[in-house]
Amino acid sequence: MGNIQSYLHKAQEKCDLLLRKNQHIGEVLHKQNELEKSNYEIRLRSTISSCKFLLKNALPFLGHDETEKSNNKRFFIEVLYLIKEDNEKIFKVTLENALKNEKLTFPTIQKDIVNCFSKEIIKFICDEIGKDVFAILVDESRDVSKKEQMDIVLRYVDGLEIIKERFIGVVRVLHTLSLTLKTVIDTIFSNNNFSMAQVRGQGHNGASNMSGVFNGLKSLILNENSFAHYMQGLKRRFEA
């Protein structure tokens, strides 16, 4: 092979390096991918923790000015800053230390996480009701953009015989015709494994599309389930 400077010796050295597993290109890429995956999970957990705190305390997410020069970026970003202060691992991979396209702070990401929390909460409520009976409270109104929407609340007694009223959500509807509202309710029931036969009470506002004797939502539900009695008290309690 000649001396250490010979071509054969250098070729042998490069071959030995190539055959070393820990220096193989595939191994290096694998380690890099594992590190990126770990950093991504740290950022995601931090974002989820921030969302969880704000939801639990009914605090707003976004601020008027969330630029780096802002002294008050509002709650979501400020909570992230607070989380990372005492954790070196989080500090190294979040906010300004993260890749620009992987900060996981964009509003659509926040909404996706909030929707996941919402689905888990609704699932818990539905599991708590199970196959028992309940009352449904429905109201409809326009939001600030003049789009029609329907609010749904379920009232039931849990296993400890405690009366509970649980807000299921606000559903956007094309219009407020009674048949449309009934179709939306049927869809929600189907998605959560409920049956109209479980309804033992219903409460609505006094509008004709809701409480009408012949074609109101109240009548459509009664036509399908005669035990779903309309109770004025439920409506007043819901409006309060």
Side-chain angles (χ1 to χ4, degrees):
M1 292 179 58
N3 60 35
I4 195 172
Q5 297 297 330
S6 67
Y7 290 110
L8 289 175
H9 193 282
K10 290 182 179 180
Q12 180 66 39
E13 184 180 15
K14 291 180 179 179
C15 181
D16 293 339
L17 292 174
L18 184 62
L19 293 175
R20 291 179 185 177
K21 184 178 180 180
N22 59 349
Q23 294 185 353
H24 193 274
I25 184 66
E27 186 69 18
V28 173
L29 290 175
H30 176 71
K31 290 180 179 179
Q32 184 176 357
N33 290 336
E34 287 296 318
L35 178 61
E36 291 177 355
K37 180 180 178 181
S38 176
N39 292 340
Y40 183 87
E41 290 180 354
I42 292 173
R43 284 192 294 273
L44 180 59
R45 289 180 182 275
S46 301
T47 299
I48 292 174
S49 297
S50 181
C51 291
K52 184 178 180 180
F53 175 81
L54 298 179
L55 288 171
K56 187 175 182 179
N57 293 278
L59 296 172
F61 279 58
L62 302 180
H64 177 68
D65 184 4
E66 294 187 345
T67 61
E68 293 183 2
K69 296 180 179 180
S70 174
N71 293 324
N72 185 0
K73 301 176 178 65
R74 298 298 289 174
F75 294 110
F76 177 77
I77 298 296
E78 293 297 337
V79 170
L80 276 181
Y81 274 111
L82 185 63
I83 291 173
K84 77 168 190 172
E85 280 185 1
D86 296 324
N87 192 310
E88 186 177 355
K89 289 184 178 180
I90 297 176
F91 182 86
K92 289 181 178 179
V93 299
T94 55
L95 295 174
E96 65 272 5
N97 295 326
L99 297 176
K100 289 185 178 181
N101 61 341
E102 280 192 5
K103 290 185 177 182
L104 300 181
T105 58
F106 200 68
T108 54
I109 296 176
Q110 299 174 31
K111 290 179 181 179
D112 288 341
I113 294 174
V114 170
N115 287 333
C116 290
F117 275 116
S118 174
K119 290 179 181 179
E120 288 297 318
I121 292 172
I122 292 175
K123 182 179 183 301
F124 175 82
I125 295 172
C126 295
D127 290 342
E128 189 174 40
I129 296 175
K131 297 300 181 182
D132 290 337
V133 296
F134 57 88
I136 180 172
L137 294 83
V138 179
D139 195 10
E140 47 83 18
S141 63
R142 290 184 179 182
D143 60 12
V144 293
S145 62
K146 297 184 178 180
K147 293 182 180 179
E148 300 291 351
Q149 56 187 11
M150 180 172 65
D151 311 326
I152 301 176
V153 171
L154 300 183
R155 192 179 192 209
Y156 60 95
V157 179
D158 68 5
L160 299 176
E161 299 184 355
I162 298 175
I163 299 175
K164 293 183 177 180
E165 289 183 358
R166 292 293 181 258
F167 177 70
I168 295 298
V170 178
V171 184
R172 185 65 56 80
V173 292
L174 295 177
H175 45 73
T176 56
L177 295 177
S178 57
L179 186 58
T180 300
L181 300 180
K182 174 62 166 55
T183 302
V184 172
I185 293 174
D186 288 339
T187 301
I188 293 174
F189 277 20
S190 176
N191 292 339
N192 294 286
N193 296 320
F194 285 146
S195 169
M196 191 60 69
Q198 294 176 257
V199 179
R200 289 297 182 271
Q202 52 175 317
H204 315 295
N205 60 32
S208 60
N209 65 325
M210 303 293 286
S211 304
V213 177
F214 300 104
N215 296 315
L217 177 62
K218 174 191 75 174
S219 300
L220 294 178
I221 294 177
L222 283 172
N223 290 338
E224 187 172 341
N225 177 10
S226 59
F227 294 103
H229 302 290
Y230 175 73
M231 290 175 280
Q232 192 76 9
L234 279 180
K235 183 262 291 185
R236 287 199 299 267
R237 182 180 177 86
F238 182 40
E239 290 177 343

